[in-house]
Amino acid sequence: MSMRATVKSVLGEKNMRVLRRLKRRLSGKPVQVAKPTGLDAISNDLNKLAVHFKTDKWGAHRYTQHYQRHLQHLKNDSFNLLEIGIGGYNRPGQGGASLRMWKQFFPKAQIFGMDIQDKSFVDEERITTFIGDQSDPSSLNAVADKIGDLDVIIDDGSHRSPHVLTTFATLFPRLKDGGIYAVEDTQSSYWPEWMGSEDRESPNTSMGMLKRLTDGLNYEEFVDENYQPSYTDLNIVAVHFYHNLVIIEKGRNAEGTNKRSALKKRYAKS
């Protein structure tokens, strides 16, 4: 038996690899690192993952590029993500594409889905589904109670304005500080056939509600002394509008104002 073979039999293959890397490092040669293959090779790219898992968040829509920007900081964190709407309608065995995408992109996260249809065939390690009705606050709260902490909420449900408003009013207060809330397919807000309205100023549509949140960001600047800030005024720090997608950041909104010094005449008697 050669000396090399003797050393290998004593140290084992794993230790031999360590010795080879050390030898290359000492010789100044770059250490060869195996490139990831398969899903691992695209696990940092939400657009590519969306294509792989066949979710319309990329292709029919252009959402994943925005999710990448706003959720990248959670990439390797342990947290809970809830998506309303699992896809596939009532077709047997259809749906779950985006839940699988989220699982691959967030290797330490727990992924939850809620749908009015039974989608339990999607359940696997780190993916759990619930039957729930997003138009019913008691149903939404029952699902949230089972999950616990909510760090990311994505409304990809019915896209009907009354349902979007109910879901937001029920679940946003349960979202953790620092959390992200997303509303997809806001185009339906303008479609009467989808319980929206042709009136772009209608206060009762999903876009009407979401646009009001931007005023709330600046509630400290209002000169109406009788105005009482709402929960969303006090707990939203950013609202990002994209084509058919709105992303909301939750946090304490209390930066203060210089209105009394800027509007000295108005407040002279105060």
Side-chain angles (χ1 to χ4, degrees):
M1 180 181 293
S2 68
M3 178 62 71
R4 179 183 178 83
T6 302
V7 172
K8 183 176 181 180
S9 66
V10 172
L11 295 179
E13 181 60 34
K14 182 177 180 181
N15 289 327
M16 282 296 293
R17 287 198 298 270
V18 173
L19 283 176
R20 285 195 291 269
R21 286 197 296 269
L22 180 60
K23 182 179 178 181
R24 283 195 295 270
R25 190 176 292 118
L26 292 174
S27 67
K29 295 180 180 179
V31 177
Q32 298 297 318
V33 178
K35 292 183 178 180
T37 59
L39 271 178
D40 289 339
I42 62 172
S43 63
N44 292 319
D45 191 323
L46 263 179
N47 293 348
K48 292 180 180 179
L49 287 174
V51 172
H52 174 85
F53 287 107
K54 297 180 172 61
T55 167
D56 67 359
K57 291 185 185 343
W58 184 255
H61 303 291
R62 292 291 188 269
Y63 298 159
T64 44
Q65 61 182 333
H66 305 306
Y67 281 128
Q68 181 104 33
R69 180 186 309 158
H70 292 285
L71 299 178
Q72 181 69 41
H73 67 288
L74 297 172
K75 183 74 173 77
N76 295 304
D77 289 358
S78 298
F79 68 96
N80 293 335
L81 181 152
L82 169 64
E83 182 160 10
I84 310 294
I86 298 175
Y89 300 98
N90 60 354
R91 297 190 291 268
Q94 296 292 308
S98 61
L99 299 184
R100 299 183 186 104
M101 177 192 73
W102 295 127
K103 175 184 174 180
Q104 183 65 31
F105 187 70
F106 297 115
K108 297 179 183 178
Q110 294 297 319
I111 311 301
F112 299 93
M114 189 190 95
D115 200 281
I116 200 166
Q117 304 288 338
D118 182 0
K119 301 290 180 176
S120 56
F121 68 89
V122 177
D123 291 10
E124 59 184 60
E125 183 182 2
R126 293 200 297 113
I127 295 180
T128 305
T129 63
F130 302 101
I131 298 175
D133 181 354
Q134 74 168 132
S135 69
D136 179 2
S138 63
S139 181
L140 290 163
N141 279 317
V143 169
D145 287 343
K146 293 174 183 176
I147 295 172
D149 289 340
L150 293 170
D151 301 276
V152 176
I153 299 172
I154 298 168
D155 184 350
D156 187 19
S158 75
H159 312 308
R160 271 66 175 175
S161 285
H163 303 169
V164 173
L165 269 61
T166 295
T167 302
F168 183 78
T170 304
L171 293 185
F172 184 76
R174 303 192 62 153
L175 183 68
K176 288 179 63 177
D177 278 351
I180 299 292
Y181 193 108
V183 180
E184 294 188 4
D185 293 358
T186 54
Q187 70 272 22
S188 61
S189 177
Y190 308 108
W191 300 342
E193 295 86 345
W194 284 56
M195 302 176 75
S197 174
E198 294 182 31
D199 178 8
R200 295 189 297 276
E201 303 304 319
S202 171
N204 300 316
T205 65
S206 53
M207 280 301 295
M209 178 272 289
L210 293 164
K211 286 187 288 187
R212 285 196 299 277
L213 299 180
T214 62
D215 281 326
L217 290 172
N218 300 311
Y219 76 91
E220 291 177 300
E221 313 303 339
F222 299 169
V223 294
D224 177 1
E225 295 301 307
N226 295 316
Y227 182 79
Q228 294 297 316
S230 68
Y231 179 84
T232 53
D233 292 343
L234 296 168
N235 291 282
I236 290 177
V237 294
V239 185
H240 307 271
F241 288 86
Y242 303 101
H243 184 210
N244 298 335
L245 172 69
V246 178
I247 294 178
I248 303 158
E249 298 180 33
K250 187 171 185 181
R252 180 64 175 163
N253 181 25
E255 295 183 6
T257 175
N258 68 342
K259 67 183 178 185
R260 291 186 177 273
S261 60
L263 305 174
K264 293 179 181 178
K265 185 178 292 188
R266 172 182 288 273
Y267 292 103
K269 298 178 181 179
S270 299

